[in-house]
Amino acid sequence: MTVAAPFLICLVPPVAVSFCMVLLIEEFKMRHAVFAAVAGLAAVVPIAAVQFLLECAGLISLHSLFSVLIKSLLINGAAEETVKMSFFFFLPYKKMRLKVFFACAVLSGLFLGCFETVLYIVAGTEHFELRLLTAVVIHASCAGLSGLFVYSVRNGKTKAYPFILAIVLHGVYNYFAGFKTGSFFFWFSIAVVFISVIECRLRYRSMNPEGLLLFK
């Protein structure tokens, strides 16, 4: 595989989704896709820095599966989702209705997840197709949940539950994804991905007075 191939493979999903959103979501423009891409990619470096510092701190010793779970919740859940969520505060929310802001958040997570997959491919990780189908989706859905939290804060009606869900779901996903692919426990990570998508849909519906009216 050439050096450019991973980038091209992982660029297709977020770009394709961006065009679909422009065509299907009322008021969603290409500039919103650009905002989402910048927010997602800008979060990569601080996420890596925070995770590196937490790893170096050695706050958690991995002597049991429970400690691995706590580490996943702290590093992959709390740290990663907090950094990712903080960048959503830079989105021009006053000019966006909920569905546009929500779409931006989901797309931002998609860009971040796909870029992270590129890094795994370059590092020689096998089965990157599985990452595209699981880790990228968990990034997108958890970003959507975090986006709902940020939108609620910006509008003076704070709802922390979506953000807490994002942390827990991302952490639990990483915990089970850490098992070998052939392991029975690994498949729980797939279940978490589906749950994250369902929760994303439910939380959006609960906050949107138009219900599930997302598309034109």
Side-chain angles (χ1 to χ4, degrees):
M1 182 179 291
T2 65
V3 176
F7 292 90
L8 293 175
I9 292 172
C10 295
L11 187 64
V12 171
V15 170
V17 171
S18 296
F19 280 107
C20 288
M21 286 182 171
V22 171
L23 293 173
L24 298 175
I25 301 177
E26 186 180 2
E27 300 176 16
F28 191 95
K29 307 299 181 184
M30 188 53 69
R31 67 175 182 276
H32 295 127
V34 174
F35 292 152
V38 172
L41 297 178
V44 172
V45 173
I47 284 175
V50 171
Q51 291 180 337
F52 176 76
L53 291 174
L54 289 174
E55 288 278 4
C56 290
L59 299 177
I60 301 174
S61 56
L62 304 181
H63 297 305
S64 66
L65 289 178
F66 179 73
S67 62
V68 174
L69 174 60
I70 297 301
K71 180 182 178 182
S72 295
L73 289 171
L74 177 63
I75 295 179
N76 301 110
E80 193 164 340
E81 288 303 323
T82 298
V83 173
K84 186 165 59 177
M85 173 272 295
S86 65
F87 277 86
F88 296 155
F89 280 98
F90 294 100
L91 294 175
Y93 78 99
K94 289 184 179 180
K95 298 180 180 179
M96 299 183 192
R97 285 204 289 165
L98 174 58
K99 63 181 177 182
V100 176
F101 192 92
F102 175 71
C104 281
V106 171
L107 187 57
S108 174
L110 187 61
F111 270 102
L112 190 155
C114 286
F115 183 75
E116 185 183 74
T117 301
V118 170
L119 299 181
Y120 277 101
I121 294 173
V122 173
T125 302
E126 298 180 351
H127 308 299
F128 72 88
E129 301 90 347
L130 187 60
R131 286 199 61 82
L132 276 174
L133 295 174
T134 57
V136 171
V137 176
I138 199 76
H139 270 292
S141 56
C142 287
L145 289 168
S146 296
L148 292 174
F149 164 70
V150 171
Y151 193 86
S152 71
V153 172
R154 284 295 199 180
N155 286 276
K157 299 178 181 179
T158 303
K159 294 185 177 182
Y161 185 59
F163 180 55
I164 294 172
L165 269 177
I167 291 175
V168 173
L169 289 171
H170 195 156
V172 172
Y173 163 79
N174 268 80
Y175 172 71
F176 286 114
F179 288 90
K180 292 183 179 180
T181 308
S183 169
F184 168 76
F185 293 102
F186 172 82
W187 297 103
F188 281 97
S189 66
I190 308 298
V192 175
V193 171
F194 281 106
I195 292 171
S196 71
V197 173
I198 293 171
E199 283 294 340
C200 199
R201 172 184 179 274
L202 292 175
R203 295 314 118 201
Y204 171 78
R205 184 177 184 179
S206 68
M207 287 180 60
N208 185 7
E210 298 176 344
L212 291 176
L213 187 57
L214 181 62
F215 302 124
K216 293 178 181 178

